[in-house]
């Protein structure tokens, strides 16, 4: 059952194509987790997050200057290589500048039938951002209605909200199982579950998550008790080879703060009469991406809370090379975790991970944590 | 003999004086009980003006550029930022600025003058975060930042009332915050006047740039850097607005009399993004070829206010609002409507918008080619630059690219860039002219 997530992770394109054949519905590629999937689900559209493939490539150089993060270039490469040729639509919600270029170049050179740029506000700490986002959601909803040729009713929005909320709750429950002294699943399995959730039909994914929680995890003993408990945080990260290596060194990853992980599903839409307002509030108040975390640094408290509740001994801070948003947070993030006695290891990721080099550093970090434990 | 007559720009030294006064005013503000604030070159500087006539600012990008100009200072500043844990590939202005605080050295001498508050706006990922760190480094000085990233303005998008409400609403909240933070009563008249000065400065600067359509070009880009900078310092300052009026008259007179910036002008190019400030001699090198860089979307549109007209395919200086605002609310909304049309904001949403404006410049300013600075120091303005290159080339204009950094000279190689210029000149069929 739990292997389903890995299968989905590996067969994302086949899955989406089959979904299209089966349902006759439209597929929307999206670039950032601030995209209000509730509205897409309300229109019976399948949202699929566009991610890279972690292979060296030589197709993006004419399109994105090499000073931007490898993740955005890897994403664009997928488009240029035709791997997402089944997309009917493609959109982005405003987040960092880097990933925006993957969207704009893709749109320019391989436009699907529908594209959309949602100006998600950055000043999420201002109460002004909620009515503004609400109005942008209204405009977006109208655009989607025109695209799919069907009105999106309140009942449709309710369905979208319920699907997203159910999925979020299921993922929260799944992550909660990792709080135990002997986690019933590895960090790698959790990554497969969290990342595949960003492109699999929500109802289908939630059903499997629920089944796993109820039927598979109880009593499951992977012998993880006593392993060094770690959290991972930072830039986009769906690098399973990396996670596998870290856990192979005698640790277990028990939680994360990534847009490919817990940030995606952390909070729910609190239903209210004005559905779009309810959705707007959810995206404004979700755990912030660093691009939106100002003037206060709310991420520090959130990450400390995760570290405490999941009882981690150390944290690996991952930064995609050139990722300005995280580079701007990492020094404070490190100080903050240090302040609660959680040492950090900083690693810079590229499209492919120099596993051997990183392994030595991870081992040294784990040794250091083990010594800390002794004294 | 030179092809065209040339003269020094008479008002050049006045620009220099204004700049010096600006920096001195900031450093000395506290001596007379005044207020000092810091923020970016794009910030709505008209807003703090409502706090009184003794309120002085220090804008960060021109400050970072001034640091970069002084190689030794800049290297030490950036090393200080790196030692504090900040990555070497972050915005180079920002690292120069942080380094100044960390070293407690002001690029113009003395210790770094601590601001009373931060008043910033945000469209580049680094804008708000820049000052979040400044606030922390300075021991928690108060900060207010206005998000302006609401999507493109006309003709590329639509500035709906909801978008204006959002930005103007933040400004109005900011005014209350300013009163609370400084304990002063806000003067709407001063604010309205400052907004009007802002419109005057930014509209007039665009008109000055437009005069560069003339052959020979009355201004070259290297000179323009010393002129446009005033708007990056304080566009809402009456002194700056008045200066641009004067400058316009002088440049217009140059056009009428056929006065050239580059006496042997035989080809015209434009650049893009901030130049490597420590190596402006690159522009002097172009002169040896009789090539004038007439500007860039950066020099024209970083502060200049233009409307892009797709029908005529031209950038037109944005006309002044028909009347002066009369209330705080009206002024805030007008200020937002005005600034969100800034050409340099549009490309944040789509590289194609910038390509359209750049191609318009190629056509209307009689350019032979374009020199794009792939600027590792600025993630904001290098955004989409590779697509700009493709689009301009497709239209038939030759493009030269060179990598560098506007504020970190460790990432710029002058010798190699000059070789690229030589090769580019060959492509353009331009030969060196006798001095
Ligand atoms: S947040 Fe970082 S990793 Fe994510 S797209 Fe932006 S620059 Fe890349
Ligand atoms: S990266 Fe560029 S646009 Fe962004 S803050 Fe720095 S100078 Fe400004």
């Amino acid at each position: 059952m739990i292997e389903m997530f890995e299968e989905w992770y590996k067969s994302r394109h086949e899955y989406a194509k089959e979904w299209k054949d089966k349902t006759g519905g439209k597929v929307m590629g999206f670039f950032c987790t601030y995209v209000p999937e509730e509205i897409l689900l309300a229109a019976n559209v399948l949202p699929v997050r566009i991610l890279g493939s972690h292979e060296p490539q030589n197709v993006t150089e004419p399109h994105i200057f090499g000073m931007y993060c490898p993740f955005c270039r890897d994403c664009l490469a997928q488009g240029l290589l035709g791997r997402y040729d089944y997309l009917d639509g493609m959109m982005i919600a405003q987040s960092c500048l880097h990933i925006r270029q993957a969207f704009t170049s893709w749109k320019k050179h391989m436009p699907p039938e529908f594209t959309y740029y949602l100006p998600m506000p950055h000043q999420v700490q201002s109460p002004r951002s909620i009515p503004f986002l609400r109005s942008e959601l209204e405009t977006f909803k109208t655009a989607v209605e025109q695209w799919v040729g069907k009105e999106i009713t309140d009942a449709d929005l309710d369905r979208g909200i319920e699907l997203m909320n159910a999925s979020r709750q299921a993922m929260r429950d799944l992550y909660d199982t990792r709080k135990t002294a002997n986690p019933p699943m590895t960090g790698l399995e959790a990554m497969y579950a969290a990342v595949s959730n960003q492109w699999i039909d929500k109802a289908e994914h939630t059903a499997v998550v629920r089944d796993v929680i109820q039927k598979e995890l109880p009593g499951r003993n992977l012998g993880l008790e006593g392993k060094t408990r770690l959290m991972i945080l930072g830039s986009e990260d769906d690098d399973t080879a990396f996670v596998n290596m870290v856990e192979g060194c005698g640790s277990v990853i028990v939680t994360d703060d990534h847009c490919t992980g817990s940030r995606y599903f952390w909070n729910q839409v609190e239903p209210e009469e004005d559905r779009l307002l309810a959705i707007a509030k959810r995206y404004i108040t979700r755990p912030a991406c660093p691009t939106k975390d100002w003037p206060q640094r709310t991420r520090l408290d959130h990450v400390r809370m995760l570290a405490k509740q999941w009882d981690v001994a150390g944290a690996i801070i991952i930064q995609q090379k050139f990722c300005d948003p995280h580079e701007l947070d990492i020094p404070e993030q490190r100080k903050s975790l240090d302040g609660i006695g959680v040492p950090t290891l900083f690693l810079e990721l590229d499209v492919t991970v120099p596993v051997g080099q990183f392994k030595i550093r991870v081992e040294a970090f784990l040794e250091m944590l083990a010594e800390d434990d002794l004294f | 003999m030179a092809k065209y007559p040339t003269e020094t720009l008479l008002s050049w030294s006045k620009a220099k004086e204004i700049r010096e006064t600006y920096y001195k005013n900031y450093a000395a503000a506290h001596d007379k009980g005044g207020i000092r604030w810091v923020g970016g070159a794009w910030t709505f500087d008209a807003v703090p003006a409502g706090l009184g006539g003794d309120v002085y600012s220090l804008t960060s990008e021109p400050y970072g550029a001034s640091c970069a100009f002084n190689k030794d200072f800049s290297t030490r500043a950036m090393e200080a930022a790196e030692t504090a844990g900040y990555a070497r590939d972050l915005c180079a202005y920002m690292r120069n600025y942080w380094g100044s605080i960390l070293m407690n050295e002001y690029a113009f001498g003395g210790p770094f003058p601590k601001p009373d508050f931060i008043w910033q706006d945000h469209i580049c990922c680094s804008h708000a975060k820049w000052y979040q760190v400044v606030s922390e480094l300075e021991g928690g000085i108060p900060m207010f930042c206005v998000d302006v990233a609401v999507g493109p303005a006309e003709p590329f998008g639509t500035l709906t009332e909801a978008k204006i409400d959002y930005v103007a609403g933040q400004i109005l909240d900011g005014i209350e915050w300013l009163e609370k933070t400084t304990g002063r009563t806000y003067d709407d008249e001063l604010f309205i006047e400052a907004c009007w000065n802002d419109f005057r400065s930014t509209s007039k600067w665009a008109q000055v740039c437009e005069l560069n359509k003339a052959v020979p070009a009355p201004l070259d880009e290297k000179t323009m850097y010393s002129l446009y900078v005033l708007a990056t310092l304080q566009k809402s300052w009456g002194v700056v607005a008045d200066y641009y009026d004067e400058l316009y008259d002088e440049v217009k007179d140059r056009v009428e009399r056929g006065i050239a910036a580059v006496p042997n002008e035989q080809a015209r190019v434009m650049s893009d993004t901030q130049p490597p400030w420590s190596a402006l001699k690159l522009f002097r090198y172009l002169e040896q070829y009789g090539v004038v860089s007439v500007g860039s979307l950066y020099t024209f549109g970083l502060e200049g206010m233009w409307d892009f007209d797709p029908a005529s395919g031209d950038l037109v200086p944005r006309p002044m609002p028909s009347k002066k605002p009369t209330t705080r609310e009206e002024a805030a909304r007008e200020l937002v409507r005005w600034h969100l049309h800034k050409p340099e904001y549009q490309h944040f949403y789509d590289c194609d918008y910038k390509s359209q404006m750049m191609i318009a410049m190629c056509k209307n300013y009689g350019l032979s080619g374009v020199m794009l600075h792939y600027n590792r120091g600025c993630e904001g303005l290098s955004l989409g630059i590779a697509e700009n290159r493709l689009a301009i080339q497709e239209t038939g204009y030759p493009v030269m690219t060179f990598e560098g950094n506007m504020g970190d000279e460790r990432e710029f190689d002058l010798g190699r860039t000059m070789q690229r210029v030589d090769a580019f000149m060959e492509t353009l069929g331009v030969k060196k002219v006798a001095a």
Side-chain angles (χ1 to χ4, degrees), chain B residues 134-154:
Chain B
V134 169
S135 168
E136 286 157 0
L137 292 177
E138 293 280 23
I141 47 175
M143 161 175 178
F144 197 93
C145 184
V146 177
D147 174 20
V148 298
V150 293
E154 293 78 4

Side-chain angles (χ1 to χ4, degrees), chain A residues 61-68 76 94-98 100-101 103-109 117 119-124 126-129 131-132 135-136 290-291 293-297 319 321-325 327-329 331-332 335 348, chain B residues 84-87 89-91 94 98 122-126 128-129 132-133 136 143 145-147 149-151 160 162-163 165-166 169-170 172-173 348-353 374-380 382-387 389-391 403:
Chain A
E61 198 266 343
H63 302 283
I64 300 184
F65 175 25
M67 69 178 273
Y68 294 94
L76 177 61
Q94 183 165 265
S95 46
C96 86
L97 301 180
H98 298 238
R100 201 172 297 176
Q101 293 181 105
F103 171 75
T104 49
S105 286
W106 193 316
K107 177 178 149 202
K108 183 161 178 61
H109 299 287
Y117 183 102
M120 172 72 207
H122 289 303
Q123 183 32 315
V124 292
S126 161
R128 305 273 180 181
S129 60
F132 169 58
S135 96
E136 287 297 333
T291 55
D293 202 30
W294 50 268
Q296 305 306 320
R297 289 191 188 269
Q319 183 216 300
K321 200 168 180 188
F322 307 129
C323 166
D324 302 82
E327 286 174 347
L328 285 157
D329 268 16
E332 284 305 309
K335 275 189 232 160
E348 192 179 71
Chain B
Y86 290 99
D89 54 86
L90 283 168
C91 167
M94 186 164 74
W98 291 345
H122 182 91
I123 190 166
C124 167
C125 291
S126 298
K129 303 295 271 188
Q132 188 174 45
V133 173
E136 286 157 0
M143 161 175 178
C145 184
V146 177
D147 174 20
V150 293
T160 59
K163 290 173 195 268
D165 285 347
Y166 171 55
Q170 292 174 75
L172 295 174
D173 293 346
F348 278 92
Y349 308 109
D350 198 325
C351 49
D352 210 37
Y353 306 152
Y374 275 41
N375 182 354
R376 288 192 171 269
C378 176
E379 57 158 340
S382 293
L383 194 70
I385 198 163
E387 290 293 356
R389 171 180 161 265
L390 292 177
E403 268 194 39

Side-chain angles (χ1 to χ4, degrees), chain A residues 2 25 44 51 84 110 113 128 134 177 184 218 223 237 240 250 259 263 265 284 286 315 349 358 360:
Chain A
I2 200 166
N44 295 318
L51 294 177
Y84 281 94
M110 302 150 295
E113 64 179 35
R128 305 273 180 181
R134 195 215 167 276
T177 65
D237 176 24
T240 51
C259 63
R263 271 216 302 279
F265 57 74
I284 294 293
R286 59 163 267 188
L349 294 193
F358 279 0
I360 298 170

Side-chain angles (χ1 to χ4, degrees), chain A residues 41-91:
Chain A
L41 295 179
N44 295 318
V45 170
L46 176 72
V48 302
R49 179 155 183 205
I50 296 168
L51 294 177
S53 68
H54 302 282
E55 297 156 299
Q57 51 86 11
N58 60 2
V59 291
T60 58
E61 198 266 343
H63 302 283
I64 300 184
F65 175 25
M67 69 178 273
Y68 294 94
C69 84
F71 169 62
C72 74
R73 285 178 277 139
D74 198 5
C75 286
L76 177 61
Q78 305 311 305
L80 294 168
L81 294 168
R83 299 205 175 128
Y84 281 94
D85 56 359
Y86 51 86
L87 295 183
D88 303 288
M90 194 186 52
M91 73 175 294

Side-chain angles (χ1 to χ4, degrees), chain A residues 304-320:
Chain A
R304 273 197 299 252
M305 177 278 295
L306 291 172
K308 281 186 187 151
Q309 288 196 7
W310 271 263
D311 188 25
V312 307
I316 301 187
I317 302 191
I318 287 152
Q319 183 216 300
Q320 293 273 343

